[in-house]
Amino acid sequence: MAAWGTGSLLVLAPALLLAGVATAPTMVTGMGIVQAAVPPARLNEGMTLAVTALLGGVAGGAAAGEWAAEHLGARGFAVPAVAAALSAATALAPAARRRVSRRVSSSGCSPASSRGSA
């Protein structure tokens, strides 16, 4: 049963706090990226699109998570965990690529030359 279904404010309040804890850091990071990437003359549009995308994602994720919890039972609670893992992997992928390319460039060989010619 979802936290709101318990009828207890003492259960609902911590659940909402936990759900909201990630919102501020996500928005601050996203706005910083937008500010760095968008020309100053288009900053208002960039911020608007970023906030719209963020809130659309929150709404879509909440809807998908609730549907999964209601229709899949206890297994449905794995949906947010899988979404979080995919988000983390997506966020960390560029850093992993940079580390690999630094290792390749510091070893003095390029990926093409390390394959060998046959």
Side-chain angles (χ1 to χ4, degrees), residues 3-4 8 11-12 33 37 41 61 73 83 86 108 116 118:
W4 59 266
S8 170
V11 174
L12 183 60
I33 292 170
L86 287 173

Side-chain angles (χ1 to χ4, degrees), residues 7-109:
S8 170
L9 185 58
L10 294 175
V11 174
L12 183 60
L16 290 174
L17 177 68
L18 182 63
V21 164
T23 303
T26 301
M27 289 186 74
V28 169
T29 303
M31 295 304 117
I33 292 170
V34 169
Q35 188 174 9
V38 174
R42 308 288 300 237
L43 189 57
N44 191 29
E45 283 180 72
M47 295 289 189
T48 301
L49 289 172
V51 169
T52 301
L54 177 69
L55 295 177
V58 168
E66 181 62 26
W67 180 90
E70 286 186 14
H71 291 87
L72 301 176
R75 292 176 299 164
F77 288 99
V79 171
V82 170
L86 287 173
S87 296
T90 302
L92 296 174
R97 281 194 298 269
R98 282 192 299 268
R99 279 194 299 269
V100 168
S101 67
R102 267 192 243 130
R103 277 192 221 130
V104 169
S105 64
S106 69
S107 69
C109 65

